[in-house]
């Protein structure tokens, strides 16, 4: 079967990376408009760089949890596309092979004058730096400052069409650990085929249509419940 998995910060919570909107979450400690918006980048790039340097450091110290691993293991029997809002690399490290990073990747940087609709969002200037730091003054060969390869608030989401296609083609849609508050990502599940079962794993209340099966568990246990439900669909 074709399975599409849409993940948010909740899938990485049990790996030790905090979510954004739970109490004590990232946006309780940082203003997203300062550290994760295009306006923030233009007014204080140093603060933005240090926010993502800190995130990379935390990513280096954690590892995929069993939810990431179970999602990757679905590939043994199914065609799987992971659409993640997360900028961490835990799906990659768990072994998932088809991942669409809707909001970019913290392990990558690019010169600040590229990857826009003018250069057709080409990835050729994107550079993988792993978990290392980027500072003001780190520039490419043309002398252009490097910035995080992240979709900041206020920027386009270039991979949205690719993500919509993956949802439309899916026989089953699984949503894990997202508050579904940030658009356009939050609109994706509306593209699921009418006959495709939709599941959402989240320990908190979720406001989704009646037809969505809410597995009210944390990601690690919720994936086990999903896998048993999936067996009944086959
Ligand atoms: N397992 C599963 N879900 C969990 C867990 C867990 N252990 N812990 C928390 N959750 C759920 C929360 O109940 C919440 O619904 O994960 C969700 C996290 O929601 P957010 O913090 O809003 O994160 P997310 O939905 O990924 O945010 C989307 O917002 O700020 C932007 O770009 C950022 O990609 C991010 C986007």
């Amino acid at each position: 079967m074709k399975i599409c998995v849409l993940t948010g910060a909740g899938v990485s919570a049990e790996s030790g990376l905090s979510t954004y909107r739970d109490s004590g979450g990232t946006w309780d400690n940082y203003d997203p408009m300062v550290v994760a918006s295009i306006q923030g980048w233009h007014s204080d790039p140093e603060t933005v760089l240090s926010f993502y340097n800190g995130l990379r450091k935390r990513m280096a110290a954690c590892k995929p949890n069993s939810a990431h691993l179970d999602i990757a293991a679905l590939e043994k029997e199914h065609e799987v596309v992971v659409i993640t809002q997360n900028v961490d690399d835990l799906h990659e490290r768990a072994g998932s092979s088809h991942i669409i990073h809707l909001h970019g990747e913290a392990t990558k940087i690019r010169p600040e004058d590229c990857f826009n609709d003018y250069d057709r969002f080409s990835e050729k200037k994107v550079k993988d730096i792993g978990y290392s730091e980027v500072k003001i003054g780190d520039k490419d060969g043309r002398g252009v400052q490097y910035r995080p390869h992240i979709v900041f608030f206020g920027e386009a989401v270039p991979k949205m069409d690719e993500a919509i296609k993956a949802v439309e083609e899916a026989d089953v849609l699984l949503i894990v650990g997202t508050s579904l508050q940030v658009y356009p990502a939050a609109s994706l599940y509306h593209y699921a085929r009418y006959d495709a079962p939709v599941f959402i794993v989240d320990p908190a209340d979720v406001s989704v249509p009646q037809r969505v099966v809410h597995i009210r568990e944390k990601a690690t246990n919720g994936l086990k419940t999903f896998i048993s439900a999936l067996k009944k669909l086959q």
Side-chain angles (χ1 to χ4, degrees), residues 8-10 13-14 19-22 27 85-86 103 153 177-180 182 201-204 217-219:
E14 290 157 273
T19 60
Y20 292 97
R21 294 175 183 81
D22 288 318
W27 297 151
Q85 299 171 87
N86 300 341
H103 295 160
F153 284 106
T178 173
S179 60
L180 294 170
V182 172
V201 172
D202 197 314
E217 292 176 300
K218 291 186 171 183

Side-chain angles (χ1 to χ4, degrees), residues 118-211:
Y118 178 70
D119 77 353
R120 285 193 296 284
F121 295 106
S122 74
E123 305 246 351
K124 59 181 187 307
K125 293 196 191 112
V126 174
K127 202 170 126 184
D128 193 323
I129 56 164
Y131 307 120
S132 50
E133 295 203 335
V134 193
K135 296 256 189 268
I136 292 292
D138 291 348
K139 300 181 176 181
D140 74 351
R142 300 167 299 139
V144 178
Q145 173 67 44
Y146 276 112
R147 60 160 274 184
H149 183 49
I150 296 287
V151 178
F152 288 143
F153 284 106
E155 293 189 308
V157 179
K159 299 193 173 182
M160 195 56 195
D161 290 347
E162 185 186 352
I164 289 170
K165 190 166 172 292
V167 175
E168 285 174 334
E169 290 173 356
D171 300 312
V172 178
L173 174 64
L174 169 65
I175 304 166
V176 187
T178 173
S179 60
L180 294 170
Q181 286 183 36
V182 172
Y183 287 81
S187 64
L188 274 171
Y189 73 87
H190 294 292
Y191 292 91
R193 285 197 334 245
Y194 73 94
D195 60 342
V198 182
F199 298 81
I200 184 163
V201 172
D202 197 314
D205 276 340
V206 287
S207 54
V208 286
Q210 199 66 31
R211 83 175 190 99

Side-chain angles (χ1 to χ4, degrees), residues 35-194:
V35 297
S37 78
I38 187 63
Q39 298 85 343
W41 173 254
H42 290 314
S43 56
D44 182 357
E46 197 148 14
T47 300
V48 175
L49 290 176
S50 97
F51 173 75
Y52 286 98
N53 288 342
L55 174 59
R56 272 184 228 101
K57 213 164 158 186
R58 292 194 297 281
M59 284 162 53
C62 66
K63 56 186 198 317
N65 62 57
S66 67
H68 297 104
L69 296 168
D70 286 343
I71 290 166
L74 287 172
E75 294 185 14
K76 288 187 201 121
E77 291 177 41
H78 305 284
E79 214 180 303
V80 183
V81 178
V82 176
I83 302 170
T84 188
Q85 299 171 87
N86 300 341
V87 296
D88 65 51
D89 59 349
L90 294 174
H91 283 304
E92 283 83 354
R93 288 165 58 190
S96 285
S97 60
H98 187 170
I99 304 166
I100 300 172
H101 275 279
L102 275 187
H103 295 160
E105 300 176 67
T107 54
K108 296 182 178 171
I109 55 172
R110 65 180 197 248
E112 64 173 327
D113 67 343
C114 77
F115 202 77
N116 43 41
D117 46 16
Y118 178 70
D119 77 353
R120 285 193 296 284
F121 295 106
S122 74
E123 305 246 351
K124 59 181 187 307
K125 293 196 191 112
V126 174
K127 202 170 126 184
D128 193 323
I129 56 164
Y131 307 120
S132 50
E133 295 203 335
V134 193
K135 296 256 189 268
I136 292 292
D138 291 348
K139 300 181 176 181
D140 74 351
R142 300 167 299 139
V144 178
Q145 173 67 44
Y146 276 112
R147 60 160 274 184
H149 183 49
I150 296 287
V151 178
F152 288 143
F153 284 106
E155 293 189 308
V157 179
K159 299 193 173 182
M160 195 56 195
D161 290 347
E162 185 186 352
I164 289 170
K165 190 166 172 292
V167 175
E168 285 174 334
E169 290 173 356
D171 300 312
V172 178
L173 174 64
L174 169 65
I175 304 166
V176 187
T178 173
S179 60
L180 294 170
Q181 286 183 36
V182 172
Y183 287 81
S187 64
L188 274 171
Y189 73 87
H190 294 292
Y191 292 91
R193 285 197 334 245
Y194 73 94

